[in-house]
Amino acid sequence: MKPKTVQSVVATVAVMLGGLCSSPAQSSAVPNPEADVKPLLLEKNEGERRTRRIRPDSTAHWASSQFMLKVSPRNNGSQHLVLGTEEVAPGGGIPKHKHLVQDEIVLIHSGKAHVWLGDEERDLHAGGLVFIPANTWISLKNIGSEPISLTFIFSAPGFENTMRCNSVPSGETPTTITPEQQEECAHLGHSERAGKPEQPKK
């Protein structure tokens, strides 16, 4: 190989290696789409507390009056998860519905719940877990004598839009919400409401 050819090959390899071994300063210049996501350390009473709007129909006694959103795109910039907490009073519950896009996990911390999930139903107690795949009907009723304290987690954002639509910030006077408005709210979060809630067999 001629000397000039060797020099040319060496120069080409040096340029290639230089491109592969870019400095940390150069690599950190790549934009991070999740740079605005904030880590959170929250106490039980910290988060976005909201009060549900008043339902004039027969499901008014089912849902608890307040809930709290803690993790969501609006709360801390999360693009992957939504998490919140709620307490369901004795005799109260969550009306039958399903999520069209997101999976959901409900963790029960206290109380006794009768849960309808797809074709199954059973009682769950403190420490119980409900995994709700997308497109699966879910309903829950507090059949115990103490409040059910629960945490809900969604696999993707969306349903928090329905929850905000169905509620007002804590401290504001809740307005009435019609069944038609409830349907509109459900569509915001890619969910579907059943026409009539399940009734316990007990």
Side-chain angles (χ1 to χ4, degrees):
M1 189 177 284
K2 295 181 180 179
K4 285 188 178 180
T5 306
V6 171
Q7 289 176 349
S8 175
V9 169
V10 170
T12 302
V13 170
V15 169
M16 291 173 63
L17 288 175
L20 292 174
C21 301
S22 58
S23 68
Q26 288 173 319
S27 61
S28 65
V30 177
N32 180 0
E34 298 186 5
D36 293 334
V37 180
K38 295 189 306 183
L40 291 176
L41 293 169
L42 299 176
E43 293 283 5
K44 180 179 179 179
N45 62 346
E46 294 178 321
E48 178 189 351
R49 186 178 296 280
R50 299 189 66 87
T51 303
R52 284 194 169 87
R53 295 166 66 187
I54 301 164
R55 301 181 183 191
D57 60 16
S58 60
T59 65
H61 68 284
W62 269 67
S64 56
S65 62
Q66 288 197 324
F67 62 91
M68 188 177 292
L69 291 170
K70 293 176 176 282
V71 176
S72 78
R74 190 185 298 183
N75 294 106
N76 72 317
S78 172
Q79 298 301 309
H80 305 296
L81 291 172
V82 170
L83 181 146
T85 59
E86 183 169 357
E87 286 199 353
V88 182
I94 299 172
K96 187 176 181 182
H97 67 287
K98 65 180 176 179
H99 304 284
L100 306 179
V101 177
Q102 307 95 338
D103 292 345
E104 181 185 9
I105 291 175
V106 174
L107 302 171
I108 298 173
H109 306 299
S110 67
K112 181 179 180 182
H114 190 76
V115 182
W116 296 264
L117 180 66
D119 296 329
E120 301 181 58
E121 65 175 284
R122 65 177 291 190
D123 293 346
L124 291 178
H125 305 79
L129 177 148
V130 185
F131 171 66
I132 310 154
N135 283 301
T136 304
W137 291 106
I138 173 69
S139 180
L140 175 152
K141 185 174 176 65
N142 185 342
I143 58 171
S145 58
E146 65 175 307
I148 292 173
S149 175
L150 61 83
T151 297
F152 53 86
I153 306 165
F154 289 98
S155 61
F159 191 64
E160 77 279 9
N161 297 325
T162 293
M163 299 185 79
R164 287 191 178 101
C165 182
N166 281 327
S167 64
V168 298
S170 179
E172 289 188 15
T173 301
T175 55
T176 300
I177 184 168
T178 66
E180 293 75 21
Q181 289 172 325
Q182 291 178 57
E183 289 296 331
E184 292 172 7
C185 291
H187 288 238
L188 285 176
H190 314 293
S191 64
E192 184 177 330
R193 299 168 61 244
K196 189 176 181 181
E198 297 271 5
Q199 294 300 324
K201 294 178 181 177
K202 303 184 175 223

